[in-house]
């Protein structure tokens, strides 16, 4: 937990109060705040009980029906739904006067005040007989009760009906607008700040937290969680939340509490949220206000989707701490990820601890020479962490020393303070963690894929299996992620976040159709649109957040448990999403797909020397492919723009097609994940592509087709004639198109 300074370390109380007055909007300042439905509690569905319109809270019931369910001893849900009893007090319609044309509220004996007076002054003692003597009166235009759900007439000069007027007097006749708001919001969450009326700044601080929860819309905030926090803060006696640090608030909250519960955790989380947002308001955000601190709150630096802080207080040397801050700031502002900054900081913490143990009282970087680094390497070799983790420490420190020299942060750093390639621990080369064929066969079965409870996660799994993407890149697919090339083949466009660039991979028909269905579901769920193909399923009312990898990994574990996948030894299979990427690449290599094609499909930046030679050979073949005129079965020219955004992915698709389907007179343009049951060229297939290189084969096939047609006509074989006439027609168009370009291409 990060301990932050007290209020006086930021600014005086008057300055913070002025900021609060300028920040907290009027709708969050009343003593009782009743937000609009859906603005703080995202689940606005009504109670499961028929005709009860109150907001559901627990088990699908409103607060009143949930309490009634508890009082009845927690009966079976179905039996309780069948006979839940009357609606909660205040939800049922009020009784009107029994005189049919009168809409005043019932007062005595089923009559309103006026008609009860008329009845009392009559000689009749039976109300039923008296009602029969009344003559119908025309309907009168009278003002109705101020409450929107009440259709009775207002009583006298009051804006309320008789019964609601009585209730208004019973609670002390408060402001009529406040009474109407409270009555119309029965069943909705309300936040009561009246206990802090004598401490206006503290009240504004908690209202500011509520406003921040409303604006950020990242977590449901119920009154059952916030109300205990308001009482707790009221009992503390402080004038501001910043009078204590978070450890003091946690201790005060935990005093006298026995055990833990989900609700208690939510209360403490809201208290910490209120404290953090107030501190943001008091201290400001950005590098100017955060750089000087020893704990950088990441959300103040603009990393709103990242929790926690970068802490430098574990570096005891002031000079090293100052250099570490400059280095981490430079790494972040130059585009490095937060995870890399954390790795760098951990390495600096370990190096600082080593220096403190080895060199007492070091006061500058001049103490770091090659001898010290060799001693550090010796200590690092004794570390029980993995080789890759120790290698990351050496890499981060080397980048740290290089940055100091490059930017001139410290002139007295010795030139020998440097690591060399042989200093890095050598990790053992590991084989790809591809899944066995029998495991993949079980995972890809329609029966097992149908066990996904969410269609979003099922599609995400298919993309991981069929396209070889990383799970983080898949979760962050944008809604408009499908593009097409010149011949209409679909490709998945995604952001390779590791390499910070867009990439493309071919799609098969099943995945493409599933993506179209997913886009339709997202539009139905978010009519105003969402930027993500896989929006987060919870706490995401606006569709602004994508599905997290943590959420998907949890769903994956549940799915694997339902499928009961077993290996060859009968053991339960546990896997990570990244193993599908290994399996995708390994399967392509085993099918003799060129390594350069695999590199393109997996969007790798570099490869081994064999991949370099494969790329040189592939470039030569590709140049001829792009230069040659390509036609389909209709004789239409197919073009591929060598500089277009789909050029690389289109060529990878063609190379993969050559490796998996060999044809005597052309190439197969079928999507790479699909297989064709025919072992020869089909001149009636729209996926067939050919060039002038195959012109002799086409001419020979035309000659043979003419002979077959002549024999079929002589024997009267109508079906055979029909089939071969289509082939002859397509051959004529292909030969005519290719014959014009063959001499020029041959000369070239």
């Amino acid at each position: 937990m990060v301990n932050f300074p007290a209020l006086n370390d930021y600014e005086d109380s008057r300055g913070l109060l002025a900021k609060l007055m300028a920040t907290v909007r009027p709708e969050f300042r009343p003593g009782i705040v009743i937000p609009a439905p859906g603005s703080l509690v995202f689940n606005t569905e009504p109670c499961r009980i028929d005709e009860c319109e109150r907001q559901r809270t627990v088990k699908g019931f409103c607060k009143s029906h949930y309490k009634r369910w508890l009082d009845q001893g927690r009966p079976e849900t179905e039996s309780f739904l069948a006979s839940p009893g009357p609606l909660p007090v205040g939800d049922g319609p009020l009784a009107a006067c029994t005189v049919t044309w009168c809409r005043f509220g019932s007062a005595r004996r089923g009559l309103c005040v006026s008609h009860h007076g008329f009845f009392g002054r009559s000689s009749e003692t039976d109300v039923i007989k008296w009602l029969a003597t009344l003559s119908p009166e025309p309907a009168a235009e009278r003002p109705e009760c101020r409450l929107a759900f009440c259709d009775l007439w207002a009583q006298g000069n009051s804006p309320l009906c008789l019964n609601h007027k009585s209730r208004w007097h019973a609670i002390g006749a408060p402001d009529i607008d406040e009474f109407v708001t409270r009555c119309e919001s029965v069943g909705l969450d309300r936040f009561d700040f009246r206990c802090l009326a004598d401490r206006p700044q503290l009240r504004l601080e908690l209202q500011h937290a509520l406003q921040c929860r409303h604006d950020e819309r990242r977590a449901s905030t119920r009154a059952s969680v916030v109300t205990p926090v308001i009482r707790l803060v009221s009992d503390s006696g402080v004038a501001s939340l910043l009078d204590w640090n978070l450890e003091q608030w946690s201790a005060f909250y935990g005093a006298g509490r026995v055990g833990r519960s989900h609700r208690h955790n939510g209360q403490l989380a809201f208290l910490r949220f209120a404290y953090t947002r107030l501190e943001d308001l008091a201290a400001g955000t950005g590098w100017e206000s955060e750089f000087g601190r020893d704990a950088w709150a990441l959300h103040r630096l603009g990393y709103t989707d990242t929790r926690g802080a970068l802490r430098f207080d574990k570096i005891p040397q002031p000079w090293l701490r100052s250099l570490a801050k400059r280095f981490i700031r430079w790494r972040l502002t130059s585009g490095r990820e937060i995870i890399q900054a954390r790795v760098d900081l951990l390495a600096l913490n370990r190096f600082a601890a080593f220096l403190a143990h080895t060199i007492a009282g070091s006061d500058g970087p001049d103490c770091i020479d090659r001898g010290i680094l060799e001693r550090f390497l010796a200590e690092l070799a004794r570390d029980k962490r993995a080789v890759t983790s120790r290698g990351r420490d050496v890499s981060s420190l080397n980048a740290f020393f290089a940055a100091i020299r490059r930017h001139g942060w410290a002139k007295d750093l010795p030139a020998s303070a440097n690591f060399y390639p042989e200093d890095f621990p050598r990790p053992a080369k590991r084989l790809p963690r591809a899944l066995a064929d029998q495991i993949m066969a079980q995972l890809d079965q329609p029966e097992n894929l149908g066990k996904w409870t969410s269609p979003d996660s099922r599609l995400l799994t298919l993309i991981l299996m069929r396209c070889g993407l990383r799970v983080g890149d898949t979760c962050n697919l944008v809604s408009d992620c499908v593009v097409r090339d010149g011949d209409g083949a679909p490709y998945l466009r995604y952001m390779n976040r590791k390499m910070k660039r867009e990439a493309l991979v071919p799609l098969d028909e099943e995945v493409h159709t599933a993506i179209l269905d997913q886009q339709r579901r997202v539009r139905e769920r978010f009519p105003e649109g969402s930027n993500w193909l896989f929006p987060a399923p919870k706490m995401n009312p606006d569709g602004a957040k994508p599905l997290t990898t943590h959420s998907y990994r949890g769903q994956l574990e549940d799915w694997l448990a339902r499928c009961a996948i077993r290996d060859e030894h009968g053991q339960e299979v546990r896997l990570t999403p990244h193993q599908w990427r290994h399996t995708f690449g390994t399967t392509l290599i085993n099918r003799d797909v060129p390594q350069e094609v695999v590199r393109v499909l997996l969007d790798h930046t570099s490869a081994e020397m064999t991949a370099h030679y494969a790329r040189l050979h592939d470039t030569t073949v590709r140049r001829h492919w792009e230069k040659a005129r390509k036609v389909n079965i209709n004789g239409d020219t197919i073009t591929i723009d060598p500089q277009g955004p789909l050029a690389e992915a289109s060529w990878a698709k063609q190379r993969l097609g050559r490796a998996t389907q060999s044809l005597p007179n052309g190439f197969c343009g079928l999507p790479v994940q699909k297989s064709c049951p025919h072992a020869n060229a089909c001149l009636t297939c729209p996926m067939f592509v050919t060039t002038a290189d195959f012109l002799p084969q086409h001419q020979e096939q035309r000659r043979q087709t003419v002979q077959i047609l002549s024999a079929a006509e002589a024997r009267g074989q109508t079906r055979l004639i029909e089939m071969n006439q289509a082939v002859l027609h397509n051959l004529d168009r292909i030969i005519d198109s290719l014959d014009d370009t063959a001499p020029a291409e041959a000369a070239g």
Side-chain angles (χ1 to χ4, degrees), residues 21 37 76 104 114 136 138 152 225 239 260 416 419 432 463-464 471 562 589:
M21 293 292 294
E76 291 293 333
F104 282 114
S114 298
L152 299 182
V225 171
R260 298 173 64 87
S416 61
F419 291 106
I463 293 176
L464 293 175
V471 63
R562 290 192 295 271
I589 292 294

Side-chain angles (χ1 to χ4, degrees), residues 305-317:
D305 295 331
T306 306
R307 299 179 180 179
L310 295 175
R311 303 193 57 163
F312 300 88
D313 51 356
K314 293 184 179 180
I315 302 177
Q317 302 88 350

Side-chain angles (χ1 to χ4, degrees), residues 31-33 35 40 189-193 210 221-223 226 230:
I32 299 178
V33 177
L40 278 170
D189 275 9
R190 63 184 69 192
F191 303 87
D192 193 344
F193 296 95
L210 197 65
T221 307
R222 295 191 176 276
V226 177
I230 297 175

Side-chain angles (χ1 to χ4, degrees), residues 588-603:
L588 294 180
I589 292 294
N590 291 339
R591 292 180 179 177
D592 295 328
V593 176
Q595 191 171 349
E596 175 60 15
V597 177
V598 179
R599 184 195 69 81
V600 172
L601 293 175
L602 295 178
D603 195 38

Side-chain angles (χ1 to χ4, degrees), residues 287 291 296 312 319-333 400 403-404 407-410:
W287 286 107
F291 183 80
W296 293 352
F312 300 88
W319 61 270
L320 184 57
R321 188 185 311 164
S322 175
L323 289 174
K325 288 183 178 181
R326 298 186 71 173
F327 175 65
I328 297 299
R329 181 178 63 178
W330 172 69
R331 296 279 265 188
L332 290 175
T333 54
F400 175 61
I404 292 176
H407 302 292
W409 295 338

